[in-house]
Amino acid sequence: LVFTEEDKYGLYSSLLFKYFLAEGVVCGHDLFVASAKEHPDNILKELPAPLLDDTYGKELGDEAAAKSEDVQDSMKIAWRYQNLPKMEASPTTYTKFGHYYDVSKKMAPELCQSVKRHSFYLHEELSSEADMKTWNMNSGYARLLQSIQRIISQEGFDGSDPQKKQRNVLRIGIQSLGSIVWGDDVCCSDTPEDAHSLTKFLYVLRGLLRKSLSACIITVPAHLIQNKAIMERVTNLSDTVVGLESFIGSERETNPLYKDYHGLVHVHQIPRLNSLICDVSDTKDLAFRLKRKLFTIERLHLPPDLSDTVSRASKQDLAGSAKLLSSGCGAMAMGKKHLDF
Amino acid sequence: QGKFTLLRDTRTDGSFLVHHFLSFYLRAGCKVCFVALLQSFSHYNIVAQKLGVSLAAAKERGQLVFLEGLKSCLDLLFGEEEQPGQPSPLQFLSTSDLRALFDFVRVSLTPADGDSWKGPVLLVDDLSVLLSLGAAPVAVLDFIHYCRASVCWQLKGNVVVLVHSNEDSEDEGNELVVNSLCHHSDLILWAEGLATGFCKDIHGQIKIIKRLSLRQAAGQDLVQIYQYKIQDRNVTFFARGLSAAVL
């Protein structure tokens, strides 16, 4: 269960959402899209087109060739760092995990229609299902859960149909959960009417996901939720929690430290399933940027602070981000730390 | 015997403690009732196998009573009408009454004829989920109190409970439950993420608090602090600052 906190204007999180669905189409998984704001068919029409491997490989190859030329000269001052691996902002030797997409082009309709799609548009689902008494939660959520459960058992994702030989995966995408369009006022007030609807929904969804071959991404406008307690509980109930913070409209947009990027990615939690340990990466600071064709997530690296007249504000910001840079910093600094004497 | 242990985690995941206690008590030959609200049975089974215990076998010989919260919840909401007289232990989803859950615990740990297990143990993972599902904090505290009364005092068994907590948490209900439980515990194992941030070699710090002040009037709590690193099959503990990465 991947829980994504939306950025303020929802631009980048809907992009991430579409990536998830597009990956499903390319892999041949079934899709289930639920939304209350935009009709799911419209969402599906706007999935990015997959990049054929050779074009992307060529682009990356050009970049990598340009980079590797200047790295061979040995370092004179920071020679201690010579032995550390060169920090790569984005994985150049990309492992074949997933596909890459071209954001400027839309996915061909034939490709999109090659997989089975189910959708749930809240305003079209009339109150047909009766028997809400055991549910005790927001009716929109309850109907969504019933719809998901129906698809799972009908299409055999939970292994209930032993005759079905080809097992497939169901990718579920739910957009803008918790917002007012779903009938939940958890984003509007500090003491919502039914504070437990969202958490109960997540718990039941978690049960459904564990029981079947499905994966789910949910985007939530977390910046609107006033009651922080709910966010804590929701984090506990999800496997992966990722927050997107875009720089639009905030002071960081003009900050020279962040000029290459469009926003930050905060990984709040990663799943620890079937094992005592979890797969923790070296660094937790990731930033994203939207180039004309690609949406990339890279490690955040600060440019070297070379100027003499560095202003107070940016120094504080640097200190603030240095706090974020945890002790994995030593390996990635490579002359980028600001030494204060 | 008759001890209440509180597992607490802050800024990190303390579930490795739950896995430890589960395999520990099963290996010791106790009858265990595990209320697993957050993860599926196969998750615990796979980790327990790495630790050397088979949950499926324990379930079969009746040593382990496993309540899989996620599955029971689905059965309750999507299943057919249940038989009367056998209310689901997760009844509180609709009625916010934890009594059915307590009855389940009591029935499963009451020794039956022919049982030869040493002392009963109740293990809960985790209590904070009950609050997310609509139970009031006071109801959760009552539930724990009833469990203690029957498991610790009546049946002379042990209770181990996991809760989450956060500094500056705005979740008042959760903080209320955690603080109250801290006052009533015999032993508190508190796993915390490092205050300085994330580190690859040291996953966190564990504070062990033996509440001697509960039993003796003038006793003082004994506090020990260690740091730990979690590996695939076990967890290594070391004194603060003496991690292998530093030496």
Side-chain angles (χ1 to χ4, degrees):
Chain A
L1 176 60
V2 178
F3 188 89
T4 312
E5 294 170 2
E6 284 178 14
D7 51 300
K8 234 196 219 160
Y9 300 103
L11 291 169
Y12 300 108
S13 56
S14 65
L15 197 54
L16 210 58
F17 189 75
K18 287 176 186 151
Y19 261 73
F20 182 81
L21 297 174
E23 180 70 14
V25 173
V26 175
C27 290
H29 298 156
D30 286 6
L31 298 181
F32 183 106
V33 183
S35 166
K37 216 168 35 171
E38 218 183 312
H39 200 283
D41 290 342
N42 289 342
I43 299 178
L44 286 171
K45 281 199 199 112
E46 293 184 4
L47 298 182
L51 275 178
L52 298 167
D53 285 326
D54 40 3
T55 37
Y56 185 65
K58 205 163 78 64
E59 278 187 38
L60 270 188
D62 294 341
E63 278 182 30
K67 265 194 234 171
S68 58
E69 280 162 23
D70 49 51
V71 88
Q72 292 316 316
D73 28 314
S74 58
M75 298 183 219
K76 298 224 170 40
I77 299 179
W79 54 273
R80 260 295 176 203
Y81 292 120
Q82 179 88 30
N83 299 328
L84 293 171
K86 180 175 191 312
M87 188 206 71
E88 285 163 3
S90 48
T92 48
T93 52
Y94 60 100
T95 47
K96 281 288 214 160
F97 184 74
H99 302 81
Y100 292 91
Y101 298 90
D102 181 347
V103 177
S104 56
K105 296 203 213 119
K106 301 268 179 286
M107 185 182 278
E110 310 86 48
L111 183 56
C112 190
Q113 271 151 24
S114 63
V115 296
K116 242 184 171 167
R117 286 129 43 237
H118 313 278
S119 63
F120 179 96
Y121 185 50
L122 184 65
H123 304 298
E124 274 179 2
E125 303 276 330
L126 303 169
S127 53
S128 47
E129 317 283 337
D131 191 18
M132 291 283 165
K133 55 176 167 35
T134 43
W135 286 76
N136 204 7
M137 70 163 88
N138 179 325
S139 67
Y141 295 158
R143 272 181 272 151
L144 175 57
L145 284 171
Q146 280 171 341
S147 175
I148 295 178
Q149 192 268 342
R150 202 173 5 109
I151 302 288
I152 288 181
S153 61
Q154 271 173 5
E155 305 282 331
F157 289 108
D158 55 358
S160 58
D161 188 1
Q163 290 176 340
K164 212 170 157 116
K165 300 225 191 80
Q166 276 280 52
R167 297 245 222 123
N168 201 352
V169 172
L170 178 67
R171 282 189 181 230
I172 306 176
I174 307 179
Q175 205 173 37
S176 278
L177 197 65
S179 68
I180 191 70
V181 287
W182 283 95
D184 191 357
D185 61 350
V186 84
C187 282
C188 310
S189 70
D190 207 2
T191 45
E193 210 180 282
D194 185 2
H196 301 287
S197 263
L198 184 59
T199 42
K200 275 193 212 171
F201 170 82
L202 283 177
Y203 189 76
V204 181
L205 179 63
R206 192 184 166 102
L208 284 173
L209 293 176
R210 289 284 194 269
K211 204 177 88 135
S212 60
L213 290 172
S214 34
C216 177
I217 183 169
I218 301 184
T219 69
V220 167
H223 54 277
L224 293 175
I225 295 185
Q226 316 276 1
N227 189 340
K228 293 297 167 215
I230 296 190
M231 281 314 298
E232 290 173 18
R233 293 181 182 178
V234 152
T235 303
N236 262 345
L237 289 171
S238 318
D239 293 317
T240 312
V241 179
V242 172
L244 292 174
E245 180 192 338
S246 82
F247 294 149
I248 303 177
S250 81
E251 53 173 17
R252 288 182 179 177
E253 196 171 11
T254 46
N255 192 323
L257 286 173
Y258 293 122
K259 67 170 161 48
D260 288 332
Y261 303 107
H262 289 115
L264 296 175
V265 175
H266 301 286
V267 179
H268 295 295
Q269 182 166 286
I270 40 180
R272 198 185 283 247
L273 282 177
N274 293 336
S275 161
L276 277 177
I277 52 177
C278 50
D279 181 27
V280 191
S281 61
D282 286 336
T283 171
K284 281 188 157 189
D285 300 291
L286 302 168
F288 64 86
R289 66 168 115 166
L290 180 60
K291 299 195 266 211
R292 190 174 60 88
K293 281 192 172 185
L294 293 171
F295 176 81
T296 49
I297 296 183
E298 307 171 353
R299 286 187 191 153
L300 173 67
H301 58 272
L302 303 171
D305 201 2
L306 295 171
S307 66
D308 297 318
T309 56
V310 60
S311 69
R312 279 254 138 211
S314 73
K315 238 197 193 161
Q316 266 175 357
D317 217 17
L318 185 57
S321 357
K323 209 154 53 99
L324 288 178
L325 292 172
S326 38
S327 44
C329 185
M332 68 179 254
M334 292 233 327
K336 287 168 181 156
K337 252 204 307 217
H338 177 73
L339 283 179
D340 222 309
F341 288 102
Chain B
Q1 295 291 64
K3 289 279 190 299
F4 184 90
T5 305
L6 184 69
L7 306 175
R8 183 175 174 177
D9 60 31
T10 302
R11 287 193 306 266
T12 187
D13 185 13
S15 57
F16 67 94
L17 292 168
V18 172
H19 294 299
H20 159 73
F21 275 102
L22 180 60
S23 43
F24 171 72
Y25 280 119
L26 282 177
R27 261 194 292 237
C30 299
K31 177 150 189 189
V32 178
C33 173
F34 188 11
V35 177
L37 295 172
L38 205 53
Q39 300 279 17
S40 61
F41 177 73
S42 60
H43 165 80
Y44 293 107
N45 198 14
I46 293 179
V47 182
Q49 273 173 352
K50 288 190 189 163
L51 297 176
V53 173
S54 164
L55 294 189
K59 227 164 86 147
E60 238 162 276
R61 54 175 187 256
Q63 191 187 7
L64 172 67
V65 178
F66 195 97
L67 173 62
E68 189 174 350
L70 293 169
K71 191 157 88 85
S72 305
C73 165
L74 292 181
D75 289 337
L76 175 66
L77 295 175
F78 295 116
E80 308 88 27
E81 290 297 318
E82 74 237 10
Q83 312 89 329
Q86 264 217 6
S88 159
L90 291 190
Q91 199 83 33
F92 65 91
L93 277 174
S94 35
T95 59
S96 37
D97 180 5
L98 290 168
R99 219 170 309 182
L101 188 57
F102 166 67
D103 286 331
F104 174 84
V105 168
R106 189 173 45 89
V107 164
S108 39
L109 284 181
T110 309
D113 302 323
D115 256 358
S116 59
W117 310 114
K118 306 192 192 110
V121 174
L122 168 65
L123 189 55
V124 181
D125 174 24
D126 68 67
L127 214 56
S128 308
V129 173
L130 288 178
L131 291 169
S132 305
L133 291 176
V138 178
V140 173
L141 287 174
D142 283 342
F143 165 71
I144 289 293
H145 178 78
Y146 273 81
C147 286
R148 268 193 95 180
S150 80
V151 177
C152 290
W153 295 326
Q154 237 179 359
L155 301 171
K156 304 280 185 287
N158 293 334
V159 176
V160 180
V161 166
L162 173 70
V163 285
H164 297 297
S165 71
N166 276 321
E167 299 169 341
D168 312 327
S169 166
E170 294 206 7
D171 191 348
E172 288 169 359
N174 195 33
E175 291 303 299
L176 174 71
V177 170
V178 172
N179 284 330
S180 174
L181 288 179
C182 275
H183 286 301
H184 291 124
S185 316
D186 293 301
L187 176 65
I188 304 177
L189 294 172
W190 191 348
E192 290 177 284
L194 293 176
T196 43
F198 164 70
C199 171
K200 222 170 38 149
D201 296 302
I202 304 177
H203 289 143
Q205 154 178 305
I206 184 164
K207 230 190 255 189
I208 304 177
I209 306 175
K210 294 201 178 101
R211 308 226 37 244
L212 304 168
S213 57
L214 262 191
R215 306 279 162 154
Q216 302 163 297
Q220 270 221 323
D221 292 344
L222 183 63
V223 180
Q224 291 166 312
I225 303 184
Y226 297 102
Q227 289 176 336
Y228 62 87
K229 176 176 173 157
I230 306 179
Q231 287 148 340
D232 193 42
R233 275 170 197 266
N234 72 350
V235 181
T236 42
F237 293 90
F238 36 85
R240 278 186 290 186
L242 292 181
S243 146
V246 168
L247 292 175

